[in-house]
Amino acid sequence: MPQKIAFQGELGAYGHEACVTARPDYDPLPCPTFETAIDAVRKGNADLGMIAVENSTYGRVADVHSLLPESGLHIVDETFVRVHINLLGTPEAKLDDIKEAHGHPVILPQCGQFLREHAIRGRVSSDNARAAREVASEGDPTVAALASELAAEIYGLKVLARHIEDHARNTTRFLIMAREPDYIRRGASGMMTSFVFRVRNIPAALYKAMGGFATNSVNMTKLESYMVGGEFTATQFYAEIEGHPDDANVQLAMEELGYFTDHLHVMGVYPAAARRHEKSGG
């Protein structure tokens, strides 16, 4: 029986494209929300989950980092997908005829310049692939979808304009989640460790907690905060560092972090994607 990988969206979504690229031997399982994708993995209906966490143009995907710590899943890989936005219309449509383009709220501002130049109104859809499916089913030559070429192939649409995103290196990062962690692998481009923590209620706790990473030469690539339980006094931090928990310098840094936190949970240990260095210009 083929293994399955769950993603948020419909067939043809960028999450689907990420699945095809990173796990071509898995059957993609479309899910309406990130919660249902995570739940599919947790319940065993899927073996892996492909979860979008941030876009180089738009920023982090809302609410995802608050979902991950409570998911019971582990990060086992990351992948970067170059997001090419395409204007898709019905087979008889022409670019000059398009009055509206439907897309996810995250996609619309990423191609705002193109839409303005062609006097096309952006309309919000819950999913880019759904927008493509609806354009195909409704058959209105004045309405288009903002989606992937994969969606055009699936729903029989014509690509009216390719790669219309405002930024030439528009990229979305996905985390691959599993029910069990995998600390054995070592990546050719190094390792990443992701974790969440809450600092103790003492003066300069965050500053002191971060000091161990600097003194032990551990590069922290991400540090984000978000409220817990809707309380302004309960702040949780999501962090990513380069290295493996078995590395001596990482062990020392994490030990020092423990002195200043009252909650620390490792979310995953996984090989750094080669694209990570391309994304940062390295």
Side-chain angles (χ1 to χ4, degrees), residues 15-198:
H16 182 194
E17 187 176 339
C19 293
V20 171
T21 302
R23 291 294 188 274
D25 51 336
Y26 282 67
D27 284 351
L29 177 65
C31 299
T33 65
F34 289 116
E35 291 93 331
T36 52
I38 289 170
D39 204 41
V41 180
R42 189 165 47 219
K43 291 181 176 179
N45 298 323
D47 302 279
L48 298 174
M50 181 70 71
I51 308 298
V53 291
E54 59 187 333
N55 176 267
S56 60
T57 302
Y58 183 81
R60 79 177 179 185
V61 177
D63 301 330
V64 167
H65 286 153
S66 60
L67 289 173
L68 298 186
E70 307 301 324
S71 68
L73 303 180
H74 304 269
I75 304 169
V76 295
D77 251 323
E78 66 174 356
T79 188
F80 293 85
V81 171
R82 177 69 176 81
V83 178
H84 289 301
I85 305 173
N86 307 280
L87 188 72
L88 311 181
T90 59
E92 70 277 12
K94 298 178 181 178
L95 176 57
D96 292 342
D97 297 332
I98 301 301
K99 305 301 181 186
E100 286 187 5
H102 296 198
H104 190 274
V106 170
I107 284 289
L108 291 172
Q110 293 178 27
C111 55
Q113 182 176 337
F114 177 90
L115 297 180
R116 288 190 296 272
E117 288 177 353
H118 292 82
I120 298 173
R121 296 187 300 271
R123 290 289 181 265
V124 171
S125 175
S126 60
D127 182 79
N128 302 305
R130 176 181 178 177
R133 175 173 59 79
E134 291 176 343
V135 166
S137 63
E138 293 172 6
D140 186 343
T142 69
V143 178
L146 300 168
S148 66
E149 291 194 56
L150 178 61
E153 295 172 9
I154 291 172
Y155 300 110
L157 295 175
K158 182 167 70 174
V159 179
L160 302 174
R162 281 183 170 85
H163 305 179
I164 63 173
E165 58 273 12
D166 293 345
H167 298 282
R169 300 184 71 181
N170 188 25
T171 302
T172 295
R173 177 178 176 232
F174 292 82
L175 297 177
I176 301 177
M177 312 289 291
R179 288 185 294 278
E180 299 296 331
D182 184 354
Y183 290 1
I184 297 175
R185 295 171 301 161
R186 290 285 179 162
S189 298
M191 296 295 292
M192 301 295 299
T193 299
S194 297
F195 54 94
V196 293
F197 66 94
R198 298 177 199 168

